[in-house]
Amino acid sequence: MERCAEPGTVEWVESGGGPLVAVPETVLPFWTGADGEEFASDYDRACEVDGLVGLLPVGDAAALVLGDEPAATAYLPEHSVLVRWVAGHTEDDLLASVPAALATAQWDRETQWKVPGPVVLFDAAWPGTQAEGTDHTRLGLGPGRYTVRAARVSPGPETWLVLVHLRPLP
């Protein structure tokens, strides 16, 4: 994974080996990560998500879990998509392949996600109160309902990625 795009252009978030989670800022204090005192921690619940994406209740909102496998992930607001870098030689090649990948993606079943505003993407193992001290990025989503759909795509012979499309609903 060779990153060579202009620095600061795209922020990639990586996990320590588990899923990533996008938690609304308003409920970050309620995400306990792996430190939960309950029978199953929030991290355990995130690890149980079957498939590319899933929703978990957190406070009075829901977190979006990026399941499947750990992969460096970036949000491209111009496409309203999270790009998960599964395989590819360079960042430039991978990012250049996104428009074609979006056009040819075979999307999994859609789900709806209601968000109260911006969300923070980070490693599900961390408590939400510590998210900003870790590898994270803020997605400036407006409040409302979003259709979430995901797809595995191979836009080139040695390039594989997962797309998670976030479409605002009217």
Side-chain angles (χ1 to χ4, degrees), residues 79 81 83 94-107 149-155 161-165 167:
H79 298 292
V81 69
V83 176
L94 183 107
L95 293 174
S97 73
V98 169
L102 282 166
T104 61
Q106 305 259 334
W107 301 103
R149 60 186 185 166
R152 283 186 186 88
V153 184
S154 181
L161 49 104
V162 171
L163 301 173
V164 179
H165 195 203
R167 294 182 311 176

Side-chain angles (χ1 to χ4, degrees), residues 99-134:
L102 282 166
T104 61
Q106 305 259 334
W107 301 103
D108 288 350
R109 192 182 106 249
E110 295 181 347
T111 190
Q112 289 191 12
W113 183 30
K114 183 178 178 185
V115 296
V119 301
V120 179
L121 179 70
F122 60 100
D123 187 329
W126 288 99
T129 55
Q130 297 176 18
E132 292 191 12
T134 69

